[in-house]
Amino acid sequence: MKTVLVCRETDPRETRVALIPDDIKKLTGMGFSFKVVRGAGEKSGFPDAAYEKAGAVMVASEQEGYDSEIVLRILKPQSAAGLRPGTLHLSYLDPFNEKALLHDFAESGVQAVSLEMIPRTTLAQKMDVQSSQTSLAGYVAVINAAARLPKILPMMVTPSGTINPARVFIIGVGVAGLQAIATAKRLGARVDAFDTRPVVEEQVRSLGASFIKIDLGEMGQTDQGYAKELTPEQIKKQQEAQAKVCERSNIVITTAKVFGRKAPRLIGRDVIDRMQPGSVIVDMAVSTGGNVEGSKLFEEVVTENGVIIMSGDFLERQVPFDASKMLSGNFTAFLTHFYNRETKEFEVSLQDEIMRGCLLTQGGKIIHERFKEN
Ligand code: NAD
């Protein structure tokens, strides 16, 4: 039997939990056993009593549960201190920026899985935390912007006058962008969208939004479905071409990211200066460099001309009940996939392309091709 520890997140801003009681019950039935740090689900609406009822043993601290074979948490820990050699540790790891932490995991003999490296394949879709969380964030971005806008989103024809629908511009139509378009449409806004991946145009149209056509020459996507990085000349051309759409929009939501690289700067101060007072911009790429000049992580900025720039990172934390439910579904799919029902063993198999894609350290070394150092 494999024991799994569910940690309590230590970042005070974090509201989610990695595994919810319903999934603990399901996995216990398969042969896993669970330790849960007290208070782990408190902020997301899953009290300790629900975990106990599901069969988990509550522990006072994560250190107390570190004798478990598998450790689950959402955010990367400060260090691998206290973890035992051979432990399988699953969390976000930010591996492109956290080299020291990777070395720490390797030297501690921990097998570290990076949630952001789970491959984007059909088989792994159930485990894709990036997708499950950013789709919720795309929804929240529109709700936050709508609540802040001094205008309503739908058209209203009344005896007192006619109100035109708000205009919403979504830049970057991946998982978050698609959900933002759908939410803004449901609220009655008129929606424009742009993405550098040409395949997106059809998806935008099918949601009833207009696709802004900008010819930037060679664009496209990687075999994992991610955008390719643009040249500085292409970015400049894009900025110029989309400026007019920004100026006429009441809400602009930017979600443009390039996996493993800095986010492109797409809206400069010159464009913001020409936007209407009271317009709202939500930058969903602040922590990876920012799509919008002047945006600040976890802060709202109001420019001199009255444009509101909102921070759009980690918005899924505003809906922790559903965000935890989806995360928990992702972790459950991962645990189930590698569980051998015949031997009742959990198998960390590098023959499996999902494990090969996301396991970064093993046997005292960094083993992932992308992060190995010669
Ligand atoms: P992401 O968060 O890396 O990027 C967000 C969006 O920004 C992408 O649509 C990207 O094309 C866009 N972008 C990048 N540079 C831009 C620029 N200069 N201007 C405008 N837009 C720009 O990507 P994501 O949302 O996580 O996923 C992208 C795509 O990957 C999805 O739409 C989907 O097709 C695919 N995907 C596949 C799977 C799977 O098969 N398991 C899972 C999730 C996503």
Side-chain angles (χ1 to χ4, degrees):
M1 195 189 288
K2 290 285 175 214
T3 305
V4 181
L5 171 70
V6 180
C7 296
R8 176 185 178 147
E9 298 299 314
T10 52
D11 183 332
R13 289 181 196 274
E14 187 51 72
T15 54
R16 299 165 292 170
V17 63
L19 213 57
I20 65 167
D22 274 357
D23 288 327
I24 289 197
K25 207 167 162 192
K26 202 184 301 169
L27 291 162
T28 303
M30 279 172 56
F32 289 95
S33 66
F34 289 89
K35 291 188 179 177
V36 177
V37 179
R38 282 199 185 282
E42 210 167 62
K43 292 187 191 166
S44 45
F46 302 98
D48 287 351
Y51 284 98
E52 276 167 320
K53 203 168 163 215
V57 172
M58 306 308 288
V59 291
S61 69
E62 58 190 37
Q63 300 287 335
E64 201 184 304
Y66 271 171
D67 55 350
S68 308
E69 285 94 347
I70 301 174
V71 173
L72 306 183
R73 72 171 102 230
I74 303 167
L75 302 184
K76 60 179 184 246
Q78 299 285 331
S79 75
L83 288 164
R84 300 183 177 194
T87 302
L88 183 73
H89 182 281
L90 278 80
S91 72
Y92 280 106
L93 279 178
D94 194 11
F96 292 99
N97 300 308
E98 290 289 349
K99 297 280 179 310
L101 185 62
L102 273 195
H103 282 285
D104 191 14
F105 271 114
E107 282 153 24
S108 308
V110 174
Q111 308 186 83
V113 165
S114 155
L115 297 179
E116 45 277 84
M117 294 305 292
I118 291 178
R120 306 199 111 171
T121 57
T122 309
L123 190 61
Q125 211 157 11
K126 302 194 284 283
M127 313 171 199
D128 187 356
V129 293
Q130 301 272 68
S131 295
S132 78
Q133 302 303 293
T134 48
S135 59
L136 291 172
Y139 161 87
V140 176
V142 176
I143 301 295
N144 284 354
R148 200 68 182 82
L149 193 72
K151 216 188 123 39
I152 62 166
L153 265 63
M155 180 176 184
M156 244 187 226
V157 182
T158 77
S160 322
T162 297
I163 297 171
N164 289 324
R167 296 197 73 141
V168 176
F169 183 26
I170 312 285
I171 304 176
V173 190
V175 180
L178 278 177
Q179 197 52 243
I181 294 176
T183 307
K185 285 298 292 181
R186 274 184 226 124
L187 290 174
R190 206 170 140 186
V191 183
D192 296 302
F194 174 70
D195 196 293
T196 51
R197 292 180 300 119
V199 292
V200 167
E201 183 171 349
E202 188 50 44
Q203 297 165 14
V204 168
R205 292 231 171 90
S206 70
L207 287 170
S210 311
F211 189 79
I212 303 293
K213 279 191 182 287
I214 305 175
D215 182 8
L216 299 176
E218 170 69 20
M219 297 186 286
Q221 63 182 30
T222 65
D223 53 5
Q224 293 259 313
Y226 288 116
K228 290 195 176 148
E229 194 173 24
L230 299 183
T231 63
E233 293 73 36
Q234 284 175 307
I235 300 261
K236 190 158 179 286
K237 209 166 162 189
Q238 178 183 349
Q239 286 169 338
E240 285 163 6
Q242 70 188 14
K244 281 214 158 46
V245 189
C246 290
E247 285 165 36
R248 71 170 186 224
S249 298
N250 305 102
I251 295 176
V252 178
I253 297 178
T254 69
T255 79
K257 291 183 188 165
V258 181
F259 187 66
R261 296 181 192 276
K262 206 167 171 270
R265 175 56 52 89
L266 300 176
I267 301 181
R269 189 42 66 91
D270 55 326
V271 174
I272 299 171
D273 284 347
R274 296 202 296 271
M275 288 175 69
Q276 295 300 311
S279 308
V280 178
I281 306 176
V282 185
D283 185 347
M284 297 189 72
V286 188
S287 58
T288 46
N291 294 146
V292 181
E293 188 173 346
S295 63
K296 291 202 174 125
L297 189 62
F298 303 129
E299 276 180 45
E300 182 181 292
V301 175
V302 181
T303 62
E304 260 173 40
N305 62 326
V307 173
I308 300 156
I309 307 174
M310 299 176 89
S311 168
D313 282 66
F314 301 105
L315 294 182
E316 60 274 22
R317 290 177 180 170
Q318 277 180 244
V319 287
F321 183 79
D322 287 329
S324 302
K325 192 164 182 254
M326 286 168 89
L327 261 181
S328 181
N330 299 139
F331 279 117
T332 301
F334 189 94
L335 293 178
T336 309
H337 181 82
F338 293 102
Y339 182 72
N340 185 326
R341 283 164 200 269
E342 279 160 29
T343 60
K344 299 219 178 305
E345 280 300 321
F346 184 86
E347 294 172 349
V348 182
S349 162
L350 287 172
Q351 305 301 317
D352 186 292
E353 64 162 8
I354 300 174
M355 189 61 88
R356 221 171 32 245
C358 63
L359 185 67
L360 308 194
T361 62
Q362 192 180 48
K365 294 195 191 101
I366 297 175
I367 56 162
H368 195 286
E369 282 305 322
R370 208 141 167 194
F371 305 102
K372 260 190 205 166
E373 287 156 6
N374 298 320

